[in-house]
Amino acid sequence: MKFQISFISAVFALFMSSAMAAEEWGIEGEKTDRFEAKVVDVACELSGNCPDQCGKGKRQLGLLKDDGTLVLAIKNFDIFAGTGEDLIEFCNQRVIADGLSITNDKVNMFALQFVRAAPDGEWRRANAFIPAWQKVNPNKNGAEWYRHDEMVKKEIEARGVFGIPGLKGDE
């Protein structure tokens, strides 16, 4: 009986370790990717300017692989949102990241979809941005946060919808 329970536990653990798997988004140059890395403050890694706690969520976070590769984690599951809220609690800790590596001749980046503490933390979906945004903006629609965010509105007003002053799309 003891062997049977151990075998079943091992099979269950194997299934659970691969259960969270990135979904392809149809982006040119994408491939599903899972790797272990240390969560780091990108500016700290590049310049040596290293404030406490990875800048307390005010700086771009990345994933530093054991071979020295610095992976820019730029997107999570929330629409138009980055990975800061998903990774900040793991600052300077090792995680297993699951998502899409997107590579082309202009840029290499990583779209984080799932994360867990290494080696065997619980998987969680990378979608912490909207709940965090709604804590700061409780009376606004989080599903379309980008339509209600004051900073986004100011940027659009200053730079236009396309980020280039004066450029307008088809009306």
Side-chain angles (χ1 to χ4, degrees), residues 27-120:
I27 299 170
E28 185 177 338
E30 79 179 11
K31 71 174 181 120
T32 58
D33 199 2
R34 178 179 288 178
F35 56 89
E36 186 169 334
K38 179 181 172 185
V39 174
V40 296
D41 171 346
V42 173
C44 172
E45 289 300 310
L46 298 176
S47 71
N49 175 346
C50 303
D52 291 341
Q53 300 170 329
C54 294
K56 299 178 183 170
K58 302 291 184 202
R59 296 173 72 151
Q60 178 69 37
L61 300 178
L63 301 162
L64 184 62
K65 293 182 175 182
D66 290 341
D67 68 2
T69 302
L70 180 59
V71 177
L72 297 178
I74 55 95
K75 175 76 185 100
N76 75 359
F77 255 119
D78 294 329
I79 191 165
F80 304 122
T83 61
E85 295 291 341
D86 298 294
L87 294 176
I88 190 65
E89 74 178 87
F90 299 111
C91 172
N92 295 316
Q93 298 176 38
R94 295 187 66 76
V95 297
I96 298 176
D98 190 284
L100 298 176
S101 285
I102 303 164
T103 305
N104 65 42
D105 60 344
K106 303 221 184 319
V107 70
N108 298 327
M109 59 189 157
F110 184 70
L112 182 70
Q113 293 185 10
F114 299 95
V115 65
R116 72 177 189 190
D120 56 5

Side-chain angles (χ1 to χ4, degrees), residues 1 16 19 24 38 45 48 82 88 99 104 116-117 120-121 134-135 137-138 142 144-146 155 163 169:
M1 183 68 168
M16 287 308 291
E24 293 181 352
K38 179 181 172 185
E45 289 300 310
I88 190 65
N104 65 42
R116 72 177 189 190
D120 56 5
Q134 284 196 290
K135 280 184 182 176
N137 301 279
E144 292 189 337
W145 70 270
Y146 49 91
E155 282 296 311

Side-chain angles (χ1 to χ4, degrees), residues 151-164:
M151 187 170 65
V152 171
K153 287 179 180 180
K154 286 178 185 173
E155 282 296 311
I156 290 172
E157 189 176 309
R159 301 177 191 266
V161 175
F162 299 108
I164 302 172

